[in-house]
Amino acid sequence: MAERTAEISRKTNETSVSVRVNVDGTGTAKISTGVGFFDHMLDQLSRHSLIDMEIDVKGDLHIDDHHTVEDTGIAIGQAIAKALGDRKGITRYASLDLAMDETMTKAAVDISGRPFLVWNVQFSAPKIGTFDTELVREFFQALAQNAGITLHILNHHGANNHHIAETCFKAVARVLRSATEIDPRQAGRIPSTKGMLA
């Protein structure tokens, strides 16, 4: 099987983003975005998906974190899509309820070629430290659109906003891990009766 790796570089007036992924990795992460909480969440995404990620971002943090977070999501999504190629043999679907202390969040994914995000997560405060909680959704929107995946994220319950955000990243990581895995029973086929994913 060919290596499922990809590199993406994206440069705008707002950010300079470099991403490298290995879908068949061990969850090794080397991440620097300049946003501490975001780095922590991306580390969770890599660790629990087992997708190796090297991410280096220089953004206009003197304005706010928005462009950095969104453009990182765009580049990771593009890198995952590129690494998966024609998506032959993948499991395609996955769903998981993930618990962390008082919080439980569901993530479900279809690696379909049809980007869509359903977001049913609420935070009780606008910030986690200095990080805007609304940027969690912005990240997953950018990721789903650019990876070409249908992604549903539902927070069942939770009191701690850090835990709510973290369960979103961990749950998405786990469903990405399952859905991108090669299914030996597919025998290299595209998992769709259409013969293509899109």
Side-chain angles (χ1 to χ4, degrees):
M1 185 181 73
E3 271 196 355
R4 296 190 296 171
T5 62
E7 294 185 43
I8 294 290
S9 293
R10 173 184 168 85
K11 188 170 179 59
T12 71
N13 291 333
E14 298 163 343
T15 62
S16 176
V17 182
S18 174
V19 170
R20 185 180 189 281
V21 300
N22 177 2
V23 173
D24 301 306
T26 59
T28 301
K30 184 178 179 183
I31 296 165
S32 176
T33 69
V35 182
F37 180 77
F38 188 42
D39 285 358
H40 176 47
M41 293 299 102
L42 293 176
D43 188 49
Q44 301 297 331
L45 185 67
S46 173
R47 180 73 56 87
H48 295 284
S49 67
L50 298 184
I51 298 174
D52 293 345
M53 296 185 184
E54 293 181 23
I55 302 168
D56 186 66
V57 186
K58 302 289 187 295
D60 54 0
L61 299 179
H62 61 287
I63 296 175
D64 66 9
D65 299 343
H66 184 108
H67 298 139
T68 293
V69 172
E70 183 177 35
D71 289 5
T72 301
I74 289 170
I76 294 173
Q78 290 174 347
I80 289 173
K82 185 177 178 182
L84 291 176
D86 61 13
R87 308 180 189 198
K88 284 183 180 176
I90 64 169
T91 301
R92 179 176 170 178
Y93 297 100
S95 179
L96 175 82
D97 287 306
L98 188 134
M100 178 179 178
D101 298 340
E102 86 297 345
T103 303
M104 181 177 286
T105 298
K106 172 186 280 293
V109 69
D110 174 10
I111 301 181
S112 60
R114 297 186 303 277
F116 203 90
L117 175 69
V118 174
W119 177 257
N120 195 342
V121 179
Q122 294 181 342
F123 294 98
S124 62
K127 298 268 190 186
I128 301 170
T130 61
F131 187 83
D132 294 332
T133 50
E134 68 180 11
L135 294 181
V136 180
R137 184 192 185 283
E138 292 301 319
F139 172 78
F140 287 115
Q141 176 70 29
L143 178 73
Q145 286 292 318
N146 289 275
I149 61 176
T150 295
L151 181 62
H152 292 236
I153 305 173
L154 166 64
N155 175 241
H156 295 299
H157 48 258
N160 182 289
N161 288 307
H162 186 129
H163 292 170
I164 293 170
E166 190 163 338
T167 55
C168 291
F169 278 84
K170 286 180 173 177
V172 169
R174 291 294 307 213
V175 295
L176 282 176
R177 173 181 171 181
S178 297
T180 58
E181 284 182 346
I182 297 298
D183 180 352
R185 294 177 64 194
Q186 286 284 7
R189 296 176 303 180
I190 292 173
S192 170
T193 54
K194 295 177 184 176
M196 62 181 292
L197 288 174

